[in-house]
Amino acid sequence: MQNFTYQNPVKILFGKGQIASIASEIPAGAKILVTYGGGSIKKNGVYDQVKAALEGRQWIEFGGIEPNPHYETCMKAAELARKEAVDFLLAVGGGSVLDGTKFIAVAACFKKGDPWNVVTGAAHAEAALPLGCVLTLPATGSEMNTNAVITRESTKEKLPFSSPLIYPQFSVLDPETTFSLPPRQISNGIVDAFVHTMEQYMTYPVNSPLQDRMAEAIFSTLIEEGPKTLADPTDYEARANLVWSATLALNGLIAVGVPQDWATHMIGHELTALHGLDHAQSLAVVAPSLLKVKSDVKREKLLQFAERVWEIREGTPEERIEQGIEKMRAFFESVGAPTHLAAYGLGAEVASEVANRLQKRGWLGLGERQDVTPVQVKHILLLAA
Ligand code: NZQ
Ligand code: ZN
């Protein structure tokens, strides 16, 4: 096992009715900015619950944070936060609202030029407003991690950044707030959580049986509970299990002491930025092909995945690896996430487009061994055509 330092300060308020507790989690006297997206919270009663919980508190709101949150929109919110001397942010929505709010928290405090530099890595976050979250879409794990992914609309760049300053102080996970999700977003949540787990598991062995089994438990839970929660969106128990799986898939716990990949995500972000695929759709396209192309260096973990997650024990190692990957592909398809570019109206030319972009950006080696070159990225996307 590799050395690690792990500290996760996020307080989780899980279950029915937990929105009512938020006021006691926010410092008395704080001026609160409530942030949200395109309006789903006004239709499903979540906005009303938040309003009731904040009764008597001083708060203003900023709506309109879009899926794959835009830098341009978040800068407006940061400006508002500064102008109104806001001292606490409350994100109410999915991963995009939360990621956007994390960026707003940093941008509102940033004094050394353009906060976009924090996203590109040219500068570090200096400070951030404290934030809390009411999560309405289980997928990203943003509710319990230090990451945010921001899109600059003007240049179509979608980039992640990370800082311990943007851990939420608390996150409310009430599965009932997710009952109103359309099937496509539930499907996205299942696939995103699955691929997060994959990015931290499907590398090479470092003698970390506990992290491996925790990751395998998340895979198996998603495989069992995903179809149940799609079939019956108001089955509380199944949805609760999806919500908690998605959080555990990316709260840092399964990543401790092990190598991590993240090439699928970096390639997927380009498909979203250039062609508008939902985040999880982009992962469903890239992941099976990437595992095929990297099956030599991921061999041991692919064999373990095939056996422990899919119970594949017959055949040569190559056959078992192939079957494991195909089982994963079939699972993504079965929950409603097509795994080929063609299903999203995209042709093979996308492969060169993405590879050239990464080359230009100097991203010459992705993955746990930094060996996923632009040439391999092209190959991966051609395989996914
Ligand atoms: O904007 P509203 O009206 O709220 O509608 C949203 C949006 O249209 C809707 N929605 C959310 N909760 C709902 C609901 N509709 C009905 N009922 C509800 N309860 O769902 C749509 C998609 O929402 P979005 O927040 O974009 O989805 P998701 O949570 O999947 O977030 C995706 C974003 O997170 C980033 C992705 O790149 C993408 O930008 N990621 C963030 C990560 C992180 N911070 O650690 C890691 C991930 O790998 C991912 O990259
Ligand atoms: Zn993801």
Side-chain angles (χ1 to χ4, degrees):
M1 199 188 300
Q2 301 171 347
N3 287 6
F4 64 86
T5 303
Y6 182 63
Q7 181 179 26
N8 192 319
V10 182
K11 182 168 181 177
I12 296 292
L13 305 164
F14 191 99
K16 293 180 193 182
Q18 288 278 30
I19 292 176
S21 328
I22 56 178
S24 54
E25 301 298 331
I26 301 174
K31 183 161 185 186
I32 306 160
L33 175 62
V34 174
T35 53
Y36 57 94
S40 68
I41 64 161
K42 295 211 165 156
K43 293 188 203 125
N44 61 11
V46 171
Y47 180 86
D48 292 336
Q49 288 188 57
V50 169
K51 200 171 156 189
L54 294 181
E55 206 188 323
R57 304 298 296 263
Q58 204 192 350
W59 65 281
I60 55 174
E61 62 182 65
F62 181 92
I65 298 176
E66 48 288 278
N68 308 303
H70 293 174
Y71 156 84
E72 291 84 351
T73 306
C74 296
M75 286 301 286
K76 288 183 196 154
E79 189 48 47
L80 176 69
R82 262 199 299 262
K83 201 175 97 215
E84 296 287 334
V86 160
D87 32 36
F88 197 93
L89 303 177
L90 179 65
V92 185
S96 293
V97 171
L98 180 48
D99 281 11
T101 305
K102 287 173 166 179
F103 178 69
I104 295 163
V106 167
C109 301
F110 197 69
K111 298 199 176 78
K112 290 192 188 147
D114 188 345
W116 179 249
N117 291 335
V118 174
V119 181
T120 62
H124 287 295
E126 300 160 335
L129 290 173
L131 64 123
C133 154
V134 174
L135 191 80
T136 64
L137 196 169
T140 62
S142 187
E143 64 277 13
M144 205 175 170
N145 72 34
T146 54
N147 310 325
V149 189
I150 304 298
T151 296
R152 188 153 188 160
E153 179 57 4
S154 59
T155 55
K156 298 219 173 296
E157 284 167 288
K158 179 175 177 172
L159 298 172
F161 80 98
S162 188
S163 164
L165 295 169
I166 56 175
Y167 265 128
Q169 312 247 315
F170 65 86
S171 286
V172 174
L173 307 180
D174 175 351
E176 286 189 332
T177 65
T178 75
F179 284 177
S180 54
L181 283 166
R184 170 166 148 193
Q185 298 303 342
I186 303 168
S187 155
N188 283 346
I190 297 165
V191 172
D192 197 17
F194 197 100
V195 177
H196 292 159
T197 310
M198 194 196 91
E199 300 273 27
Q200 300 159 90
Y201 170 92
M202 203 68 86
T203 56
Y204 51 87
V206 291
N207 204 347
S208 54
L210 178 60
Q211 291 91 320
D212 283 6
R213 289 199 175 89
M214 283 164 49
E216 288 153 3
I218 298 173
F219 287 135
S220 299
T221 307
L222 291 168
I223 292 163
E224 274 172 26
E225 303 293 320
K228 276 193 221 164
T229 197
L230 268 171
D232 183 357
T234 58
D235 171 348
Y236 180 86
E237 296 301 330
R239 186 56 57 84
N241 287 320
L242 172 62
V243 169
W244 192 226
S245 298
T247 302
L248 267 283
L250 196 48
N251 74 348
L253 197 57
I254 62 170
V256 299
V258 302
Q260 299 181 54
D261 181 341
W262 297 105
T264 295
H265 268 70
M266 294 309 116
I267 302 167
H269 287 170
E270 300 304 321
L271 294 176
T272 299
L274 291 166
H275 298 291
L277 272 66
D278 290 351
H279 171 61
Q281 294 174 334
S282 76
L283 306 176
V285 167
V286 178
S289 299
L290 180 131
L291 293 186
K292 280 193 181 171
V293 171
K294 303 307 292 181
S295 61
D296 51 347
V297 290
K298 293 180 183 291
R299 182 182 168 89
E300 286 100 327
K301 290 310 256 316
L302 277 164
L303 283 167
Q304 186 174 308
F305 176 69
E307 179 175 343
R308 294 199 192 163
V309 178
W310 300 108
E311 296 178 9
I312 297 166
R313 297 193 177 85
E314 309 278 306
T316 65
E318 283 64 35
E319 285 165 353
R320 281 181 272 143
I321 286 173
E322 171 77 17
Q323 281 174 42
I325 297 170
E326 285 312 314
K327 283 271 190 188
M328 182 185 82
R329 180 196 295 285
F331 175 64
F332 292 168
E333 296 269 353
S334 75
V335 297
T339 58
H340 291 282
L341 287 167
Y344 303 94
L346 299 178
E349 65 285 354
V350 166
S352 305
E353 187 188 26
V354 170
N356 291 342
R357 231 177 171 218
L358 297 183
Q359 177 86 38
K360 254 198 206 146
R361 200 182 291 146
W363 288 14
L364 305 180
L366 302 174
E368 69 274 15
R369 297 175 199 263
Q370 288 95 55
D371 62 354
V372 183
T373 60
V375 171
Q376 285 197 350
V377 169
K378 184 173 169 186
H379 184 187
I380 288 164
L381 289 173
L382 284 175
L383 250 188

